[in-house]
Amino acid sequence: METRAGYVAVGAFVLVLFLGGLGLAVWFGDLRLDQEVRAYRIEFAGSVGGLSVGSPARYRGVPVGSVTAIRIDPENVEKIQVDLEIDATVSIKTDMFATLESQGLTGVGFIQIQGGSRNSPELERTAGGPPPVIPSRASRLEKVFQSAPEIADQLTVLMARLQGFFSEENRDSVTEILRNLA
């Protein structure tokens, strides 16, 4: 009888340890089973590199939801559809917009929702229809990458002008001027 009592004690200890570990995981993971969320969609015209399912969605830096799906728009291959689940207590207004931002040097992407005023109406939802679309804008980093070819062309022109300024003839002229001043 004593050996069976030992098995029961070990089994109970393992069960308590497992439940304790599960409780810690839920606590550290901030899992909320009773949290109500609402679905939204964002359509991006550019690349969504660095974004993945589960990436955070933030409103002015505050975490408010996460990405649930990323796909190419079946009706327009020039657009990328990103579906989000946002906490139902967060009011998404018609004058808000979304950008794709990059977190630090790692390049891990997240959705940044910005704008919005207290007096603007909430984004309308249709019963049984697709989720409401939050308009998107290009992020500052994306704007820099889009203007990179222009910047490179301007640098090429600047370098050509500098080479012309430092030509052999101009160097001789500057040397002559300095000699005359001396």
Side-chain angles (χ1 to χ4, degrees):
M1 283 302 245
E2 288 183 23
T3 57
R4 289 188 185 184
Y7 291 135
V8 170
V10 169
F13 177 74
V14 169
L15 185 62
V16 166
L17 194 62
F18 174 74
L19 292 176
L22 187 63
L24 280 174
V26 167
W27 183 39
F28 285 136
D30 199 24
L31 181 65
R32 296 182 186 146
L33 298 175
D34 61 342
Q35 181 181 18
E36 187 179 338
V37 293
R38 292 186 185 144
Y40 291 92
R41 179 170 289 159
I42 303 170
E43 295 177 344
F44 288 101
S47 171
V48 293
L51 191 68
S52 61
V53 173
S55 292
R58 299 179 180 151
Y59 176 64
R60 296 183 178 176
V62 178
V64 293
S66 62
V67 174
T68 57
I70 303 171
R71 68 185 155 283
I72 299 171
D73 187 347
E75 297 174 10
N76 184 357
V77 294
E78 295 176 355
K79 291 186 177 181
I80 306 295
Q81 292 179 340
V82 177
D83 290 342
L84 305 169
E85 283 185 344
I86 295 180
D87 188 355
T89 61
V90 176
S91 179
I92 302 297
K93 307 284 187 162
T94 56
D95 58 350
M96 290 181 174
F97 62 92
T99 59
L100 177 64
E101 300 291 337
S102 182
Q103 199 168 10
L105 298 174
T106 59
V108 175
F110 66 93
I111 301 293
Q112 181 74 276
I113 301 172
Q114 302 173 16
S117 60
R118 182 177 25 188
N119 299 329
S120 72
E122 257 192 73
L123 206 54
E124 288 187 30
R125 310 183 72 72
T126 56
V133 176
I134 302 171
S136 68
R137 292 187 187 170
S139 66
R140 290 182 291 254
L141 187 61
E142 191 174 351
K143 289 177 186 175
V144 168
F145 286 139
Q146 287 174 349
S147 63
E150 269 182 51
I151 294 170
D153 290 342
Q154 290 176 357
L155 283 174
T156 304
V157 169
L158 178 65
M159 291 303 291
R161 289 183 181 170
L162 281 174
Q163 285 177 345
F165 183 73
F166 291 117
S167 68
E168 188 71 35
E169 183 181 319
N170 282 347
R171 277 187 275 166
D172 290 343
S173 297
V174 170
T175 303
E176 185 66 30
I177 291 170
L178 289 174
R179 193 176 305 133
N180 289 337
L181 284 174

